[in-house]
Amino acid sequence: MEVERVQEIANFSKETIPEEFIRTTYEQPALTTVQGTVLEVPVIDLSAPDEEKVVRAIVDASSNWGMFQVVNHGIPHETVRKLKEVGKAFFELPPHEKEAYAKSPGSQSIEGYGTKLQREVEGKKAWVDHLFHKIWPPSEINYQFWPKNPPSYRKNNEEYAKHMHGVVDKLFRCLSLGLGLEGNEMKEAMGGDNMVYLLKINYYPQCPQADLALGVPAHTDMSAITILVPNDVQGLQACKDDHWYDVEYIPNALIVHIGDQIEIVSNGKYKSVLHRAKVNKEKTRISWPVFVEPPSDLEVGPHPKLVNEANPPKFKSKKYSQYCFCKLNKTPQ
């Protein structure tokens, strides 16, 4: 096997972890997390009949937190359960079966099974393996990256994607109205019905020195929005007022992150959330984020209706593919 997977390292690391996974002191969760305080990010009922109230809650959360949880979102609990079941089953397959979906070396595509995602700072590695593949629109789907085992993997993922549309449309409508735009304008600025849903499964094996490692280091998402469900092992952390806090997950909720593209289109009114993932000493943590993104060749910049002499553009307009390249390679935007 050309690349050593974290899942395999975890199988042999019972007391200590390799040096390259030990974060610097200013990143180690034991030293940098505010202890005894759990961040209660806003919880928003998407089914509430008063749309204005929902819009206000989403605007407040997106401006001050960049993160919120939604309940009564319309995705059946059973659909989410089945998504998690097949994702977990994939990572429990023998290594050679998972490697059949590995990204080829030097591939420009993000899709596939892998371990390394971006240029590593100071040579430090994240305690995570992952699987990426697009689940919408049909023209963007490459089934070579969809596991054939377990057999229900495709059906369960397609079912989840089908239910995702209602949540995405509702969130974009509220974000748009909250900026004083027409309800459809924010979605249209991101590519309308050509927006891409990119699913990622993060698999964080149990880690004997969990206080020294990170599953994913601090970052903001490149996407427009990210809609995430985790398993029952907590580990998400958000940075608020320059401090790191644990985020408590509400059962059956969807966690929503404001991504970089929404911050750009809103010209800074909405904030892309800085977050990271901890790992656990006893249990495996898994999460399923869906990154809702503009098409790669779409140019994204501040919405023309939100820019004037008093409020000049705070961001450059650029193609989404170019934005992603700069971010993953840690080069200036």
Side-chain angles (χ1 to χ4, degrees), residues 43-44 68-73 77 80 84 160 227-230 248-256:
V43 178
I44 299 169
F68 51 95
Q69 299 189 60
V70 294
V71 295
N72 298 320
H73 41 71
H77 176 64
V80 177
K84 293 179 179 181
Y160 187 66
I227 299 171
L228 179 146
V229 290
E248 184 171 9
Y249 172 63
I250 308 293
N252 302 323
L254 303 174
I255 300 172
V256 180

Side-chain angles (χ1 to χ4, degrees), residues 82-83 85-91 93 97 101 143 146-159:
K82 286 180 175 177
L83 174 86
E85 181 180 73
V86 293
K88 179 172 180 282
F90 169 74
F91 278 92
L93 293 173
E97 285 197 52
Y101 302 95
Y143 286 112
W146 289 48
K148 293 180 177 59
N149 217 356
S152 55
Y153 187 93
R154 176 169 171 172
K155 177 171 168 276
N156 292 3
N157 275 263
E158 287 177 339
E159 183 73 9

Side-chain angles (χ1 to χ4, degrees), residues 301-321:
H303 198 285
K305 291 187 179 179
L306 303 176
V307 174
N308 52 41
E309 278 188 30
N311 190 28
K314 297 186 171 96
F315 305 94
K316 294 179 198 167
S317 295
K318 62 168 58 178
K319 282 188 178 179
Y320 183 58
S321 56

Side-chain angles (χ1 to χ4, degrees), residues 270-283:
Y270 298 140
K271 302 289 187 274
S272 185
V273 64
L274 185 65
H275 58 287
R276 67 185 185 185
K278 291 195 307 183
V279 291
N280 190 285
K281 190 171 182 178
E282 277 93 33
K283 298 176 183 173

Side-chain angles (χ1 to χ4, degrees), residues 50-332:
D50 185 347
E51 185 179 60
E52 275 188 37
K53 190 175 176 186
V54 176
V55 169
R56 281 198 305 273
I58 287 178
V59 168
D60 181 63
S62 303
S63 306
N64 296 315
W65 297 75
M67 176 188 283
F68 51 95
Q69 299 189 60
V70 294
V71 295
N72 298 320
H73 41 71
I75 301 182
H77 176 64
E78 186 66 2
T79 300
V80 177
R81 186 192 68 75
K82 286 180 175 177
L83 174 86
K84 293 179 179 181
E85 181 180 73
V86 293
K88 179 172 180 282
F90 169 74
F91 278 92
E92 290 170 350
L93 293 173
H96 71 274
E97 285 197 52
K98 293 193 289 266
E99 291 299 333
Y101 302 95
K103 287 176 244 202
S104 55
S107 169
Q108 293 303 303
S109 171
I110 203 169
E111 291 186 272
Y113 171 61
T115 297
K116 181 182 173 181
L117 178 59
Q118 56 189 338
R119 192 164 75 80
E120 290 158 348
V121 177
E122 298 174 3
K124 295 298 179 186
K125 293 183 176 178
W127 191 262
V128 64
D129 295 325
H130 61 249
L131 175 69
F132 274 105
H133 61 74
K134 294 171 184 173
I135 57 171
W136 190 262
S139 60
E140 288 280 332
I141 291 175
N142 186 344
Y143 286 112
Q144 84 175 70
F145 296 117
W146 289 48
K148 293 180 177 59
N149 217 356
S152 55
Y153 187 93
R154 176 169 171 172
K155 177 171 168 276
N156 292 3
N157 275 263
E158 287 177 339
E159 183 73 9
Y160 187 66
K162 184 179 83 177
H163 285 288
M164 184 64 66
H165 298 310
V167 181
V168 169
D169 287 349
K170 176 83 172 177
L171 291 173
F172 273 97
R173 175 175 168 78
C174 291
L175 288 164
S176 202
L177 293 172
L179 294 169
L181 301 172
E182 297 294 324
N184 65 329
E185 288 189 275
M186 185 64 100
K187 182 179 174 182
E188 290 306 312
M190 293 295 174
D193 290 334
N194 293 319
M195 284 193 302
V196 174
Y197 299 2
L198 175 67
L199 174 80
K200 182 187 185 191
I201 307 176
N202 289 306
Y203 189 91
Y204 310 100
Q206 60 194 72
C207 177
Q209 293 180 293
D211 284 348
L212 305 181
L214 283 173
V216 179
H219 68 288
T220 58
D221 290 344
M222 298 182 288
S223 58
I225 57 174
T226 303
I227 299 171
L228 179 146
V229 290
N231 69 349
D232 57 357
V233 181
Q234 303 279 354
L236 181 63
Q237 293 194 315
C239 187
K240 183 143 172 62
D241 305 322
D242 296 324
H243 291 91
W244 285 102
Y245 296 89
D246 292 316
V247 175
E248 184 171 9
Y249 172 63
I250 308 293
N252 302 323
L254 303 174
I255 300 172
V256 180
H257 300 167
I258 297 298
D260 296 346
Q261 306 313 302
I262 287 279
E263 180 168 347
I264 289 166
V265 171
S266 72
N267 205 29
K269 162 98 182 200
Y270 298 140
K271 302 289 187 274
S272 185
V273 64
L274 185 65
H275 58 287
R276 67 185 185 185
K278 291 195 307 183
V279 291
N280 190 285
K281 190 171 182 178
E282 277 93 33
K283 298 176 183 173
T284 293
R285 181 169 181 266
I286 315 175
S287 67
W288 288 258
V290 171
F291 302 100
V292 181
E293 306 180 325
S296 61
D297 60 352
L298 186 76
E299 192 162 288
V300 179
H303 198 285
K305 291 187 179 179
L306 303 176
V307 174
N308 52 41
E309 278 188 30
N311 190 28
K314 297 186 171 96
F315 305 94
K316 294 179 198 167
S317 295
K318 62 168 58 178
K319 282 188 178 179
Y320 183 58
S321 56
Q322 187 186 358
Y323 183 91
C324 293
F325 179 84
C326 292
K327 181 135 181 171
L328 290 172
N329 289 286
K330 306 278 196 296
T331 59

